[in-house]
Amino acid sequence: MKKLISWIIRKNPTLYLFVQLFRTRLKAVKGDLQSVHEEFSFADNTETIAVDLGCGPNPMNRFNAGKSYGVDLYENASKYVLKCHLGFEKLPFDDNSLDYLTAYDLLEHIPRYSDKSEIGNAPFIYLMNECFRVLKKGGLFLSKTPIYPYLGAFQDPTHNNIMTKHTLQYYFSDEKFEIARHYGIEANFKIKYQRMLAQHLVAVLQK
């Protein structure tokens, strides 16, 4: 089947050009993201701790921290993945204990509203507050998420948190609107980096 698809692409000049452009752009996005990790990695990573939120079975450690863990709905002790219902449960880490948090294609899945009374009714706000809580002073939170108005923000039926390029800035940073405090938002990050990569907003927030 793969050979047939490759043959069809090669025989259609327009389709071939489109595929090549897509592959080139995908490589550029990966390269740009890697440069962000390199730019913001701490000089001495020996004792640093990184946590990859919503990691699936294989957590990533793109900041090359000394220790790394993952957090997801299912525990995997062999890969250091801890179980946590993100947005609905406290992150399983102490206050001011982590150097890095990463969330690749995660925040768009965290609901904005829920009837679960234990955490209030705003899982997204709850998770952002938790991220702020567990990071050390100076710690970094990198998020990569598709945003409005791009199709990537909407087409997946599990995307229920549509964000814009201003969501993190106006509600979770030290530039936030005053009303954000009335929403129960405690996160007060400094935005160190924010840029579009294809349909995704990549942001580096610092506590």
Side-chain angles (χ1 to χ4, degrees):
M1 187 64 177
K2 289 183 179 179
K3 289 182 179 179
L4 177 60
I5 293 173
S6 296
W7 182 84
I8 292 172
I9 291 173
R10 288 197 303 272
K11 291 298 181 179
N12 187 321
T14 302
L15 184 58
Y16 178 79
L17 179 61
F18 175 80
V19 170
Q20 293 303 111
L21 288 172
F22 177 78
R23 287 175 175 170
T24 301
R25 180 58 185 152
L26 187 61
K27 288 180 181 179
V29 168
K30 289 181 178 179
D32 288 345
L33 191 56
Q34 180 59 35
S35 69
V36 173
H37 295 120
E38 293 173 356
E39 178 181 352
F40 290 98
S41 291
F42 296 120
D44 182 4
N45 258 337
T46 308
E47 302 297 326
T48 55
I49 302 173
V51 172
D52 190 19
L53 301 173
C55 62
N58 297 299
M60 290 180 282
N61 180 17
R62 289 177 169 168
F63 282 108
N64 295 315
K67 295 181 181 179
S68 66
Y69 301 89
V71 173
D72 213 306
L73 285 171
Y74 302 98
E75 183 177 5
N76 184 348
S78 65
K79 295 291 184 71
Y80 303 101
V81 177
L82 306 177
K83 182 180 179 180
C84 179
H85 192 180
L86 295 169
F88 295 87
E89 297 176 335
K90 288 174 67 72
L91 291 176
F93 304 100
D94 293 334
D95 295 359
N96 308 303
S97 61
L98 306 179
D99 299 279
Y100 302 105
L101 283 173
T102 53
Y104 305 102
D105 294 284
L106 169 72
L107 295 184
E108 66 272 19
H109 297 278
I110 307 300
R112 293 199 171 199
Y113 178 83
S114 170
D115 289 325
K116 293 196 78 170
S117 59
E118 306 93 83
I119 56 110
N121 60 8
F124 177 44
I125 290 175
Y126 182 81
L127 176 60
M128 293 299 292
N129 286 344
E130 278 292 283
C131 291
F132 192 75
R133 175 184 68 80
V134 300
L135 279 173
K136 296 177 181 177
K137 180 67 174 176
L140 300 174
F141 175 32
L142 183 147
S143 168
K144 171 180 170 282
T145 189
I147 65 166
Y148 174 88
Y150 297 99
L151 291 179
F154 298 96
Q155 61 194 12
D156 187 324
T158 67
H159 289 186
N160 48 32
N161 179 16
I162 307 304
M163 299 170 59
T164 78
K165 66 179 182 179
H166 295 303
T167 300
L168 298 175
Q169 177 185 2
Y170 290 164
Y171 294 92
F172 300 99
S173 82
D174 55 0
E175 303 172 46
K176 68 168 67 72
F177 291 144
E178 181 60 31
I179 197 171
R181 305 180 196 281
H182 298 287
Y183 295 162
I185 294 175
E186 299 167 2
N188 196 44
F189 292 103
K190 292 184 181 299
I191 296 179
K192 304 297 289 184
Y193 176 96
Q194 213 172 229
R195 181 183 172 190
M196 291 301 302
L197 292 180
Q199 298 187 38
H200 290 72
L201 179 71
V202 175
V204 178
L205 312 178
Q206 185 174 51
K207 182 172 178 178

